[in-house]
Each structure stands twice: as structure tokens, then as C-alpha cells.
Amino acid sequence: MLPRLVSTPLGVALSSLCTLSFALWTSSAAAAPVREKENLRDLFFGQALFQAYQENYFDAIVALDTELNQYRRLDEPELDPFTTHYGQAEFSVGDLELSYRMHREAGRAIEAVLKGNVPQPVRNEAAYRLAKIQYHKQQPQNALHALEMIEGRVPERVRAEEQFLRARVYMELGRFEEAVELLKDLKGEPSLAGFVEYNLGIAQMKAGQEERGVLELTALGKTGSSDPARQALSDKTNLLLGYHLMETGELELARPYFDRVHLEGPFSNKALLGAGWVEARAGRFDRALVPWKLLQDRQSTNEAVQEALLAVPYAYGKLDVHSTAAINYGRALETFSHEIDVLSNSIISIREGKFLEALRRKEADQVQNWVVALRNLPGAPETHYLLDLMASNDYQEFLRNYHDLNDLFERNESWLGSLTAYEDIIELRRSYYEPLLPGIDHKFRELDARIKLRIEQRDKFASRIEQMLVSRRPEYLAFADEQQARLKLARMREILARGPRHYSEEAEARIARLEGVLEWRLSTEYDQRLTEAYKHLQQLNEEIEKLQVVYHSFVRSRQAATHSYKGYNDTIAQLRSRLKMAQTKLETLMARQGTMLETLAVNELDRRRAQLESYQIKARFALADSYDRANELQEQRLDQRKIEQHRSSQPEALPQDNPPELEAPTEEGGDA
């Protein structure tokens, strides 16, 4: 079984404050893939594995499907080395299709495995993977039905993941008590460290065990880590608890959770904002200014920073420092005005199609976080406003679908170009071979006639040798000159027979002597000549075999030459037609996905622009109020100063009362 190698950007998992995203979980599970040590017997299967480990799932699926189709058409498949990997390959196709988010195809492949005659551990693992597909499709009830198909022991390497998936399915279905029991058993699982505790705390809080849930999440939030993903999980936990306690009015308890959030992490802005609001709600506006002032100087596109731009002058106003509040409101207004213009231009840019155009660039596959980086392109939208949107699973799904569709479209374009190249190659072959064929065919006919002649000679020769083995036939072994001599002697004998009186006895004796000499020679050399004849027959057979080898080689070469340019036109035409139909379908799907991406982005930018416009209105009113209050305070100070100056400019008032010693003596005193 191929290990799951799905890697999901960290940002995908960082938006939701309710539950841990499935994508982050799968990424964590893929962080330590189980690489089984198996002997590779088939290189094509190894190629598919190589592509899978490189996360080139489409190439891996194409390679594996091709190998499986070829294997199923073999007459003797047991002789193919792929036989060793056949079962693993069939199961891996579903796994790869799941990795490529072909959920429907992967579900069919896994259901086929479930219906097949496979061992129970394999069936259990297939049920687990089917449940994961259903869960990923946000169908928890179907996922639970798939999990209920598991009987007996689950393979060790997926047992923890199966339990974790079951717990998350229970949470989706509102069965938090059962989820708590499962998650408690999973605590301490190294591959799921942190994620189990996070979900356990959430499940306990949802199950009414508020105190236990808070304690569980608090313990998780206190664990630091050098791993960015684990640190982000810790920060996310602290942020969740901080806002939860602040909403329930536990202000003194909430502040430490915000303080634990890493200042350079992705949750730091929201933590600083929350820390400020905790102090503000407690009436300690001077202390609220500390995190807000720090937040005020950060990236102005961040939602928390923009809220802090309003919060800072609000706090100064509460501290009766209205002039400073007015200055900060002015700064906020300037920032909001600039950002509203940026948002308006970004919306126009998206509606003009520049966003999708940037997504289709080659850099999208080469540059990490390309969607964020494309803001630097001329005319591209400000994608910093889309970070929260891009962190959502739905947007990431649309984005990956769009990238995959674009990749398929470009592959098809490349294949269409390859078909044209194939046609050019075929035409070049045709123009090269066809002029050569008439001359080659002429030589072929000569060769064919030569072979037939040799075969005829061989058969005749062999027949004579067989006859000589049965009955002695010396005349068959006569050389050419001897054959001529025999023929001449035969003709002379005929002439002598037609007119014997015209020839002397001496002539007849000489003919008889010559015939005798010839017959003597043939008789005495018969055995030797028969042996030589047999050797010559063998040589003739060898020559015929060589000629037949040349003949078959010629036939194969001629067929290869003609097959190299004949019979391809219909296939290429069919492939071109299918590719063009696929391109039309891909264009339609890309348009839908692109429209969805643009709509989501524009809606998000519209929301942020409306929010900034609302902030702008509030800032203007607050600015005017600050000016009024500052002026009123200034007037009060001026009045106070005038009063003090007036008092200081007046002469010293005469005492109205006489000193006691100047008072007239009382009658009682006088009498005394």
C-alpha cells in the first residue's frame, strides 16, 4: 500500500477555531509515511511509485493504469514480473486517485476491493479508506457506515488513524461523549500528538465537560515546539481559549492565554487584538494600548490591524487624550482610504480576469504560496486580503481543482502538439520509404525466384540421392563433361545404329571402349561421388536456409517500414477528436471553477471594503468628536488660564476683618 503523501499548506488548517481541519490531520499523517521495504520486481511499477513519492499523482495514476491495462491483455501474465505487484497495484490505484482527489473513482476502486475475495485485514483497510473519502466529502453518516464495515483487527499502521477518524466522525454527528472516550485512548499516540488533545478538549467542551475541556486545551497550549505546525496548533489553542473566556466574562483568566501566543506566528495579530480588548473591557485602557500600539504598526491589510487602528484612538479618547486620539483617527482614516482604493482596484483586476491569469502562470507550480506572491505582479489584486479566505478548505479545494484542470488542459495542449509532430514524422517516413519500395520489391522477387530454384534443385537432388541409396545409379553422379561425353557417345551409337554399313568395326570398337572407360570411372568412383553428393546436398540446404533468413528479414523489414507510416491516421484522428472534446469540457469546468474562485475573492474583498468603509465612517465621527472634545478641553483650559491671569492681575484685597488685638474690648472684659 502506498503511503498517503498529501501535503496541505499550513495556512489551510489555521482558520477554523472550532475543530482541527482534516487537511492538517492528513498532512500530519503524511509527515511520517510508512515506507515498506519490498523488493521491486517491475520497473514500470517502480516508475509509478517514484511519481507517487514525488506527489505527481496524475503521472503515477497514468503509469499504473497503463501497466495494469497491458498486464490484463497478456496471454501468459504469470510470466510478467508485474505479477508480484499486481494486487498491490490494484489497491494503490484507489489510493492514488484519493490523493489526486478523484473521490468518486477512488470510492469505486475501494468498493471493488471490498466486494472482492480479499483477506479481512485488507478489507478493513479498504473500509477505513472509504470512510476517509466519505468524511472528506463532508458525508459523516456515510463515513460512519463505512467504518461499521470494519470487523476484527485493523492493520497496525492505520489503526490509530482509523480511531482518530472515527472520533472525528462522532464529533461531526454530535456524539461527543463517544468521541471523548475514543480520543482518551489515543492520547500518547506519537503520530497524532497535539491533534488528539486539541480534539479531545473540543469534544469535552461540546459534551458539557467545560472544565475538563479547558484544562485539556490549557495543557496543550502550554507546550511549545520548534516545529512550526505544532507551535501553530499551540497558538491556535491559546487563542481559542482566550476568546472563549473573554466572551464568558472571565477577563482576568483570558489575558494569560493571549500572552502565550507566539508574537511572530500566524495567530499573533488576533492575540494582540484580544489582549487589548481584555484590558479595555476591564477599564484599563492604558494597558490596552500596549498590545494595540504594537499591532498598529503591522501589515495594514490585516483585519486585526485595521481594527487596532480604530481601537488605539478609542483608548486615548477614554483616557481624555483627545488630541492624540484625533491624530490616530487621522492616521486611521488615511490608511482606510488607501486600502479602500486598493480593494477597489483589486476587485476590478479580478473581474478583468487578471487573478485567474496569474493563477495559470508557470510560477504557480514552482513558487510556494504563489497566490500570496502574485500581489507583486503588475495589475494583480492585493492577495493579502484573501489570506483568511485562502485558509478555508473550500477555497483551497477550488484552487487545487483549478490548478489541476489547468494542468490537464496544458497536458492536452502538449499532447495535441505531439500528435502533429507524430504526423510530421509519419509523413517523413512515408516520403523516405515509398520511393525505395519498388526497387526493394524487384530484389525481393529475384530473391524469391532464387530460393524457389534452389529448393527445386535441392528436392530433385535429394530425390536422386534417395533413389541411389535404393538402387545404384552411377549416371546420376557424372560430372558435366562426363554427361556431355555420355550424350555424344549415345548420339554416335544412334548414328551407328541407323547405318552400320557406313562405319567400320574399328569405329564401333572405339565407341564401346570409350563407353567402357566412362562406365568404369563412374563405377569405381561411385561411393566417393555419392558421399560428395550428399555433402553438396547439405551445403545446398544450408544455402537455402540462409536465403530464407534473408527472405524473412526482408519481409519483416518491409513490414516494419510500411507499418511505420501506415494505419496511424485513423488512430491519430480519433485521439485528436477525443483530446479536443476533453479540452472543451476542461474549458467549461475551468470557467466554472474560475468563476467560483473569482466570486469568492470578490465577495471577500467586498466584505473587507464594506468593513473598511464602516470603519471610515466611525473614524470620521470619532475624529470630529475628538476635535470637539479637544477644543472644549482647550477652551476650558484657556478659561481656567484667563481666570488665573485675572486673579493674578487684581490688587491685593484689603482684609475685611480686624485683627483680634484691634477689636474693641468687650463689656465683660472692661468691667473686669
Side-chain angles (χ1 to χ4, degrees):
M1 175 59 59
L2 289 174
R4 292 279 286 107
L5 296 175
V6 176
S7 65
T8 307
L10 177 62
V12 175
L14 303 183
S15 63
S16 171
L17 292 177
C18 296
T19 57
L20 182 64
S21 74
F22 178 79
L24 186 58
W25 166 57
T26 53
S27 177
S28 172
V34 180
R35 298 177 183 274
E36 298 178 350
K37 295 181 178 179
E38 295 182 352
N39 294 326
L40 183 64
R41 302 290 182 85
D42 187 88
L43 289 180
F44 295 101
F45 182 66
Q47 180 192 5
L49 289 180
F50 173 79
Q51 297 293 348
Y53 284 123
Q54 300 298 315
E55 300 185 9
N56 300 323
Y57 298 115
F58 181 80
D59 294 327
I61 292 171
V62 170
L64 208 52
D65 275 344
T66 303
E67 186 64 13
L68 283 170
N69 289 331
Q70 290 180 351
Y71 179 80
R72 289 167 184 147
R73 292 200 299 267
L74 292 177
D75 295 331
E76 297 178 325
E78 63 276 5
L79 300 180
D80 193 286
F82 185 68
T83 305
T84 311
H85 308 291
Y86 180 67
Q88 182 185 2
E90 277 199 321
F91 203 84
S92 298
V93 168
D95 202 36
L96 291 172
E97 288 172 342
L98 177 61
S99 300
Y100 195 60
R101 302 186 313 287
M102 297 170 63
H103 299 143
R104 188 180 303 174
E105 298 296 331
R108 289 174 183 169
I110 294 175
E111 286 176 357
V113 173
L114 288 172
K115 294 177 182 176
N117 184 19
V118 296
Q120 190 61 40
V122 177
R123 187 188 299 276
N124 288 343
E125 185 169 349
Y128 156 68
R129 295 192 178 278
L130 181 61
K132 195 159 65 171
I133 292 172
Q134 301 293 354
Y135 180 83
H136 193 57
K137 291 165 68 177
Q138 299 180 352
Q139 297 176 354
Q141 194 65 47
N142 293 336
L144 183 59
H145 289 161
L147 289 171
E148 289 173 347
M149 297 170 65
I150 297 176
E151 298 178 358
R153 193 173 182 81
V154 178
E156 186 67 30
R157 54 197 169 86
V158 296
R159 186 176 303 161
E161 295 179 4
E162 185 268 335
Q163 291 294 306
F164 189 61
L165 175 63
R166 191 183 292 269
R168 289 189 49 75
V169 170
Y170 284 151
M171 290 176 68
E172 289 291 330
L173 295 175
R175 299 163 60 173
F176 296 105
E177 292 82 1
E178 297 170 77
V180 167
E181 296 303 320
L182 284 175
L183 292 169
K184 282 182 178 177
D185 294 338
L186 283 174
K187 284 190 70 174
E189 176 63 32
S191 62
L192 299 172
F195 305 107
V196 170
E197 289 78 3
Y198 183 89
N199 284 276
L200 177 59
I202 297 294
Q204 287 174 329
M205 293 175 69
K206 294 284 186 181
Q209 304 171 13
E210 176 84 12
E211 186 176 352
R212 291 184 180 179
V214 171
L215 289 175
E216 189 69 41
L217 293 176
T218 300
L220 176 61
K222 289 181 179 178
T223 58
S225 174
S226 58
D227 181 11
R230 297 294 171 84
Q231 183 60 47
L233 180 61
S234 177
D235 290 348
K236 180 179 177 180
T237 305
N238 287 318
L239 191 66
L240 169 66
L241 286 175
Y243 274 102
H244 174 73
L245 293 173
M246 185 173 68
E247 294 301 324
T248 56
E250 302 286 348
L251 300 179
E252 299 303 325
L253 296 177
R255 179 59 194 263
Y257 292 102
F258 288 120
D259 291 341
R260 291 193 192 114
V261 177
H262 199 270
L263 274 180
E264 301 300 327
F267 299 102
S268 58
N269 290 343
K270 288 184 178 179
L272 288 171
L273 185 65
W277 279 119
V278 166
E279 299 297 344
R281 290 190 182 190
R284 299 187 290 266
F285 293 98
D286 53 339
R287 297 181 63 178
L289 280 172
V290 176
W292 284 348
K293 289 286 287 181
L294 184 62
L295 184 57
Q296 191 181 28
D297 296 328
R298 294 197 171 189
Q299 178 67 36
S300 61
T301 57
N302 186 271
E303 197 167 4
V305 175
Q306 291 172 353
E307 186 175 342
L309 289 173
L310 275 184
V312 168
Y314 169 76
Y316 278 122
K318 289 294 183 181
L319 294 172
D320 289 334
V321 189
H322 298 291
S323 57
T324 306
I327 293 173
N328 281 278
Y329 277 128
R331 176 186 173 184
L333 279 172
E334 184 180 352
T335 303
F336 294 158
S337 178
H338 172 72
E339 295 302 325
I340 287 173
D341 292 340
V342 171
L343 284 167
S344 299
N345 293 331
S346 297
I347 292 172
I348 294 172
S349 171
I350 291 173
R351 286 175 175 162
E352 289 176 349
K354 293 181 179 178
F355 181 55
L356 295 181
E357 182 182 345
L359 291 180
R360 292 195 296 268
R361 292 169 68 107
K362 292 294 183 186
E363 295 92 327
D365 297 329
Q366 301 168 356
V367 178
Q368 190 176 12
N369 295 327
W370 167 246
V371 178
V372 181
L374 64 85
R375 64 191 290 268
N376 298 322
L377 296 177
E382 173 53 80
T383 51
H384 273 173
Y385 280 103
L386 304 176
L387 292 181
D388 290 339
L389 176 64
M390 287 188 292
S392 66
N393 287 332
D394 289 341
Y395 191 84
Q396 284 293 321
E397 194 71 16
F398 284 128
L399 190 59
R400 285 198 295 269
N401 287 341
Y402 189 78
H403 280 156
D404 290 341
L405 289 171
N406 185 57
D407 179 62
L408 290 177
F409 187 86
E410 291 180 352
R411 285 175 184 270
N412 282 353
E413 285 293 321
S414 174
W415 289 342
L416 282 170
S418 298
L419 290 179
T420 304
Y422 285 139
E423 288 178 330
D424 293 341
I425 292 173
I426 290 169
E427 190 56 34
L428 283 173
R429 287 177 175 174
R430 186 192 305 279
S431 62
Y432 175 76
Y433 283 121
E434 282 193 345
L436 299 177
L437 287 180
I440 293 175
D441 288 343
H442 177 70
K443 292 183 178 179
F444 172 73
R445 286 192 292 272
E446 290 181 351
L447 177 64
D448 185 55
R450 186 179 173 189
I451 290 174
K452 288 180 179 178
L453 177 62
R454 288 289 182 267
I455 291 175
E456 183 178 353
Q457 290 174 343
R458 191 270 313 273
D459 293 344
K460 184 177 179 181
F461 198 21
S463 176
R464 286 188 175 185
I465 289 176
E466 288 179 0
Q467 291 178 9
M468 286 185 290
L469 292 175
V470 176
S471 60
R472 193 179 178 87
R473 300 292 299 271
E475 67 273 12
Y476 286 170
L477 299 176
F479 296 131
D481 55 343
E482 292 171 345
Q483 292 288 355
Q484 291 179 359
R486 288 185 68 247
L487 291 174
K488 286 182 180 178
L489 290 173
R491 282 198 300 270
M492 291 175 66
R493 181 67 71 182
E494 289 175 359
I495 294 171
L496 184 61
R498 285 196 298 268
R501 66 179 179 277
H502 301 293
Y503 300 97
S504 63
E505 294 180 356
E506 184 181 0
E508 183 179 356
R510 290 184 65 183
I511 291 172
R513 187 172 59 252
L514 290 174
E515 288 175 344
V517 170
L518 186 58
E519 185 175 356
W520 169 261
R521 183 185 298 174
L522 292 176
S523 298
T524 55
E525 297 178 0
Y526 182 79
D527 294 339
Q528 182 181 357
R529 291 193 180 193
L530 181 58
T531 303
E532 292 294 330
Y534 186 77
K535 291 181 179 177
H536 291 162
L537 177 63
Q538 297 299 323
Q539 292 175 351
L540 185 58
N541 284 332
E542 292 175 359
E543 184 179 356
I544 290 173
E545 288 178 359
K546 291 179 180 177
L547 289 174
Q548 286 179 337
V549 170
V550 175
Y551 178 85
H552 291 304
S553 175
F554 174 83
V555 171
R556 287 195 298 271
S557 299
R558 193 183 190 286
Q559 286 180 345
T562 53
H563 289 175
S564 67
Y565 64 87
K566 284 186 177 179
Y568 292 100
N569 293 337
D570 293 342
T571 304
I572 290 177
Q574 291 175 2
L575 290 174
R576 180 176 282 113
S577 175
R578 290 172 58 186
L579 285 174
K580 286 183 177 178
M581 290 176 61
Q583 290 297 78
T584 304
K585 191 173 182 179
L586 284 172
E587 286 178 338
T588 304
L589 293 174
M590 284 182 65
R592 290 178 185 172
Q593 293 291 323
T595 302
M596 189 62 68
L597 284 173
E598 288 180 336
T599 302
L600 289 173
V602 168
N603 289 344
E604 175 66 13
L605 295 181
D606 266 337
R607 184 188 70 80
R608 296 294 302 275
R609 183 172 62 179
Q611 187 181 52
L612 284 177
E613 289 172 346
S614 172
Y615 285 169
Q616 196 177 38
I617 293 171
K618 290 179 181 177
R620 283 172 179 164
F621 280 108
L623 177 63
D625 183 67
S626 295
Y627 275 129
D628 290 343
R629 290 177 181 273
N631 289 332
E632 184 180 347
L633 184 60
Q634 186 68 22
E635 289 175 357
Q636 289 177 357
R637 289 174 178 173
L638 288 174
D639 291 344
Q640 184 65 30
R641 191 177 298 118
K642 287 179 180 177
I643 292 172
E644 292 174 356
Q645 289 176 355
H646 176 73
R647 286 177 178 173
S648 61
S649 63
Q650 292 298 320
E652 186 176 359
L654 296 175
Q656 299 298 321
D657 299 331
N658 293 327
E661 60 271 18
L662 297 180
E663 291 290 338
T666 61
E667 292 180 357
E668 292 180 359
D671 291 341

